[in-house]
């Protein structure tokens, strides 16, 4: 936890005591959701919960989120609201030395980037111009963004009646194929009514992930830095351009983020940095201790057992790390990750081999650049080793706010031609061409909480179960989240 976060968390605790330990009043006073207030209070030890205590005990035994939720009889989304905030760190104390080595290696590159105050700005501007020039003759893709959820018929009727949903909450947008996932994230936020208030990531569907790695961690390593991130605790680097300032329009700020020209300013996602982290981990962890699965635990198996790293499954490593390994690199353009023409297995193998074969020589060259403080040569090397990748699917999965548990399925529909293509490339901005349903919002309790809010705000009948004391209470909350309850024309969504 950063010093800034700790100060903010302490202010929430103080407000909680000043509000006579009322979650509702604290949420109103701090302009936060009750879910967020509860997580902060649990994190700071100011609020106790039986669910939290039992979940933490199971996590210490090595169980994953879904297994813990199953054991406690709650949904994974509900469980998340009772868990303390935490950093993405290695779970095992004995691995601290490795974490420090990796962090120091990445820090050398961060320092080099930060020292480019004058030349760096010039370099970034040149990079922006280069990407912009590539886009002029580039492709434009039509993407279908569909909010994924399972609801009972009564809740679906609420969406149809009050949420203006015909089929499912969705948006069709046209984007430059060269738009990085990092910028697509901001477009999705604007399209669905969110305000960039929580963590997120992109990934592929589970079936593809299983086929890629065969369920083995060792098979994932060559893809680290090529398609996937190495689990990182460096949020300042991952969210390198999170520069929103209070008082500025959130919608305008989001629009500036998905408008080109595009470039990526982080460090840890580059191939050399990510591969370095993965290889250090392998060198220092020839064996890892893994707890039993939930099914094994129910059958009486207890305690962790040591396994050779080459035998460890992806599921086991997901429990080992506090972050998933299925998170796609956001520096990669969307058109390189999904498409209508997909790479075959031979092309993928050739890509992995060609990227990895010169790693040692490139690493030595990188050390030389850092030693000479030659930023131009360093940046050229990074560009050279960040090779273009090949589309493996026509579908991506976007996950946002692990408490409310929003999931968007992103599917390539077609490659766009004609006037709309020219408009997107000339303005360097995606456009929305179809929208089904009102926007949702942050901190409403996921899709079920949103249905509840719709029923309270727009319905005439009283909701039997509601987190809001009155219709006015619900309206005040919705306005604070930037929700108007009005349907925008598709062309005005972005």
């Amino acid at each position: 936890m950063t010093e800034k976060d700790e100060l903010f968390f302490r202010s929430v605790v103080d407000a909680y005591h000043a509000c006579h330990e009322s979650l509702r009043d604290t949420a109103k006073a701090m302009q936060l959701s009750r879910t967020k207030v509860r997580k902060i209070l649990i994190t700071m030890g100011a609020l106790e919960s039986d669910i939290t205590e039992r979940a933490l005990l199971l996590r210490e035994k090595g169980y994953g989120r879904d297994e813990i939720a199953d054991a406690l009889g709650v949904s994974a989304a509900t469980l998340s609201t009772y868990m303390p905030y935490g950093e993405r760190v290695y779970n095992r104390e004995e691995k601290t030395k490795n974490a420090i080595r990796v962090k120091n290696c990445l820090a050398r590159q961060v320092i080099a980037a930060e020292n480019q105050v004058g030349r760096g700005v010039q370099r970034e501007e040149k990079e922006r111009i280069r990407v912009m020039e590539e886009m002029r003759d580039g492709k434009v893709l039509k993407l279908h963004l569909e909010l994924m959820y399972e609801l009972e018929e009564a809740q679906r009727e609420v969406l149809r009646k009050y949420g203006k949903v015909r089929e499912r909450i969705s948006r069709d947008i046209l984007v430059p194929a060269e738009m990085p996932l990092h910028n697509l994230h901001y477009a999705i936020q604007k399209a669905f009514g969110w305000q960039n208030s929580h963590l997120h990531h992109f990934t592929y569907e589970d079936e593809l992930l299983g086929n890629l790695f065969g369920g083995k961690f060792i098979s994932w390593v060559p893809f680290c830095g090529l398609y996937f991130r190495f689990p990182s605790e460096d949020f300042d680097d991952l969210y390198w351009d999170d520069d929103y300032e209070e008082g500025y329009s959130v919608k305008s700020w989001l629009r500036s983020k998905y408008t080109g020209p595009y470039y990526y300013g982080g460090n840890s996602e580059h191939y050399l940095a990510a591969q370095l982290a993965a290889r250090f981990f392998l060198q220092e962890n020839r064996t890892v201790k893994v707890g039993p699965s939930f099914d094994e635990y129910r059958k009486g198996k207890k305690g962790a057992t040591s396994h050779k790293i080459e035998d460890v499954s992806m599921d086991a490593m997901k429990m080992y790390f506090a972050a998933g390994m299925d998170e796609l690199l956001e520096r990669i353009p969307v058109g390189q990750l999904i498409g209508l023409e997909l790479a075959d297995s031979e092309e993928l193998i050739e890509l992995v081999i060609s990227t990895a074969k010169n790693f040692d020589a490139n690493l030595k060259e990188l050390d030389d650049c850092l030693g000479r403080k030659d930023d131009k040569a360093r940046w050229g090397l990074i560009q050279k080793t960040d090779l273009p990748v090949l589309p493996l699917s026509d579908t991506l999965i976007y996950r946002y706010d692990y408490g409310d548990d929003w999931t968007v399925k992103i599917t390539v529909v077609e490659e766009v031609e004609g006037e709309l293509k020219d408009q997107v490339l000339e303005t360097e901005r995606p456009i929305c061409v179809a929208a089904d349903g009102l926007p949702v919002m942050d901190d409403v309790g996921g899709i079920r909480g949103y249905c509840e809010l719709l029923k309270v705000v727009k319905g005439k009948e009283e909701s039997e179960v509601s987190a809001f004391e009155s219709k006015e209470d619900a309206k005040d909350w919705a306005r604070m989240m930037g929700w108007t309850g009005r349907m925008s024309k598709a062309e005005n969504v972005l």
Side-chain angles (χ1 to χ4, degrees):
M1 186 187 303
T2 66
E3 183 178 353
K4 182 179 179 181
D5 287 338
E6 185 171 359
L7 288 173
F8 174 66
F9 281 22
R10 290 189 183 281
S11 71
V12 175
V13 173
D14 291 341
Y16 177 62
H17 293 311
C19 293
H20 307 289
E21 299 187 351
S22 165
L23 285 178
R24 173 184 174 278
D25 292 345
T26 305
K28 278 193 170 183
M30 299 298 295
Q31 293 192 334
L32 299 170
S33 70
R34 296 175 204 185
T35 296
K36 184 172 289 186
V37 169
R38 181 167 60 226
K39 285 177 71 74
I40 291 173
L41 294 176
I42 288 172
T43 302
M44 299 300 287
L47 182 67
E48 295 182 354
S49 164
D50 181 59
I51 292 178
T52 304
E53 295 302 318
R54 292 160 62 195
L56 290 175
L57 285 174
L58 288 172
R59 190 170 71 177
E60 287 178 1
K61 293 178 181 178
Y63 296 109
R65 185 188 69 168
D66 292 341
E67 292 175 319
I68 295 172
D70 190 21
L72 298 181
V74 299
S75 69
T78 298
L79 174 65
S80 178
T81 68
Y82 284 90
M83 297 300 286
Y85 287 107
E87 294 182 333
R88 295 185 173 190
V89 297
Y90 304 139
N91 288 348
R92 310 296 187 211
E93 185 176 345
E94 61 267 26
K95 306 310 176 199
T96 303
K97 180 180 177 182
N98 177 61
I100 292 173
R101 287 183 62 187
V102 171
K103 190 172 183 179
N104 286 343
C105 181
L106 298 180
R108 291 183 66 190
Q109 296 192 59
V110 173
I111 291 171
E114 289 176 345
N115 286 337
Q116 299 180 73
V117 177
R119 290 173 293 168
V121 171
Q122 186 178 13
R123 187 266 296 169
E124 289 178 0
E125 184 59 30
K126 289 180 178 179
E127 176 65 7
R128 285 172 184 254
I129 293 172
R130 182 187 67 80
V131 175
M132 181 175 64
E133 289 174 347
E134 288 182 357
M135 283 178 53
R136 295 300 185 195
D137 299 319
K139 296 180 180 180
V140 171
L141 303 176
K142 181 178 182 180
L143 305 180
H144 179 68
L145 314 179
E146 184 171 311
L147 204 56
M148 305 303 293
Y149 48 80
E150 294 182 5
L151 295 173
E152 298 174 356
E153 177 56 33
Q155 293 168 320
R156 290 197 294 271
E157 179 59 26
V158 168
L159 290 180
R160 288 191 291 266
K161 186 175 182 180
Y162 303 128
K164 301 184 179 180
V165 177
R166 298 183 300 276
E167 297 181 8
R168 294 185 73 93
I169 300 174
S170 64
R171 308 288 184 259
D172 286 350
I173 65 174
L174 312 183
V175 303
E178 287 298 319
M179 171 187 272
L181 288 191
H182 186 75
N183 303 90
L184 178 61
H185 151 70
Y186 292 112
I188 294 173
Q189 289 283 302
K190 180 69 165 54
F192 285 96
W194 296 311
Q195 298 184 341
N196 197 45
S197 300
H198 301 278
L199 300 179
H200 73 277
H201 71 271
F202 292 87
T203 187
Y204 282 124
E205 293 181 293
D206 289 342
E207 183 178 357
L208 173 57
L209 294 173
N211 292 336
L212 274 179
F213 314 129
K216 293 292 186 180
F217 169 70
I218 198 72
S219 301
W220 169 86
V221 172
F223 290 87
C224 181
L226 192 61
Y227 282 90
F228 300 94
R229 293 171 172 168
F230 186 83
S232 172
E233 63 187 44
D234 192 349
F235 289 104
D236 287 339
D237 184 67
L238 293 177
Y239 300 100
W240 55 274
D241 66 339
D242 191 357
D243 54 3
Y244 175 75
E245 295 183 1
E246 188 175 355
Y248 188 64
S249 166
V250 175
K251 293 180 180 179
S252 296
W253 180 77
L254 289 172
R255 189 176 295 113
S256 73
K257 295 297 181 180
Y258 58 73
T259 300
Y262 306 113
Y263 78 107
Y264 188 81
N267 286 280
S268 62
E269 286 203 356
H270 292 298
Y271 178 76
L272 281 178
Q275 266 296 303
L276 183 63
R279 295 190 185 207
F280 270 153
F281 182 84
L282 285 179
Q283 290 171 6
E284 296 194 355
N285 297 272
R286 301 313 304 164
T287 62
V288 293
K289 289 184 178 181
V290 180
S293 68
F294 181 62
D295 288 338
E296 290 173 332
Y297 182 78
R298 290 202 306 185
K299 293 176 181 178
K301 184 177 181 180
K302 298 181 180 179
T305 55
S306 293
H307 297 265
K308 292 182 179 179
I309 193 68
E310 55 266 28
D311 297 329
V312 178
S313 69
M314 284 290 289
D315 288 339
M317 292 308 295
K318 287 178 183 177
M319 292 190 288
Y320 188 90
F321 288 114
M325 295 170 292
D326 58 349
E327 299 182 6
L328 289 165
L329 300 166
E330 293 194 12
R331 64 172 174 80
I332 301 179
V334 61
Q336 291 182 25
L337 291 168
I338 52 175
L340 298 174
E341 296 182 7
L342 308 182
D344 59 34
S345 57
E346 290 185 2
E347 290 175 318
L348 184 58
I349 291 172
E350 183 180 349
L351 172 65
V352 172
I353 292 174
S354 64
T355 307
K357 68 180 181 180
N358 295 320
F359 176 81
D360 290 336
N362 289 329
L363 184 60
K364 183 179 183 302
E365 187 177 344
L366 177 64
D367 281 336
D368 291 342
C369 294
L370 291 169
R372 301 193 311 270
K373 297 184 179 180
D374 189 339
D375 295 326
K376 183 178 180 181
R378 167 185 166 275
W379 181 244
L381 178 64
I382 287 174
Q383 284 186 304
K384 183 178 73 173
T385 54
D386 283 346
L387 297 180
V389 297
L390 302 170
L392 304 182
S393 174
D394 64 355
T395 301
L396 290 177
I397 301 297
Y398 172 82
R399 303 192 193 281
Y400 172 67
D401 186 353
Y402 307 146
D404 279 7
D405 203 22
W406 297 106
T407 300
V408 178
K409 185 176 182 179
I410 306 166
T411 307
V412 176
V413 177
E414 62 182 352
E415 186 176 327
V416 180
E417 298 293 344
E419 292 183 4
L420 286 177
K421 173 183 178 179
D422 295 339
Q423 179 183 338
V424 171
L425 294 179
E426 287 174 8
T427 61
E428 299 177 80
R429 179 187 295 175
I431 59 176
C432 182
V433 294
D436 189 350
L438 293 173
V440 293
M441 70 185 78
D442 278 311
D443 299 329
V444 74
I447 188 64
R448 287 172 176 79
Y450 176 64
C451 290
E452 180 184 304
L453 180 132
L454 284 176
K455 195 173 180 181
V456 173
V457 170
K458 291 183 171 290
K460 294 181 180 179
E461 69 275 18
E462 292 293 328
S463 177
E464 295 179 2
V465 179
S466 175
F468 305 100
E469 293 188 351
S470 67
K471 180 173 290 192
E472 287 307 312
D473 184 29
K475 286 182 176 179
D476 287 344
W477 174 255
R479 279 193 292 267
M480 190 172 73
M481 292 293 104
W483 191 80
T484 65
R486 296 191 298 270
M487 188 74 185
S488 298
K489 293 182 179 180
E491 59 266 29
N492 297 329
V493 167
L494 295 176

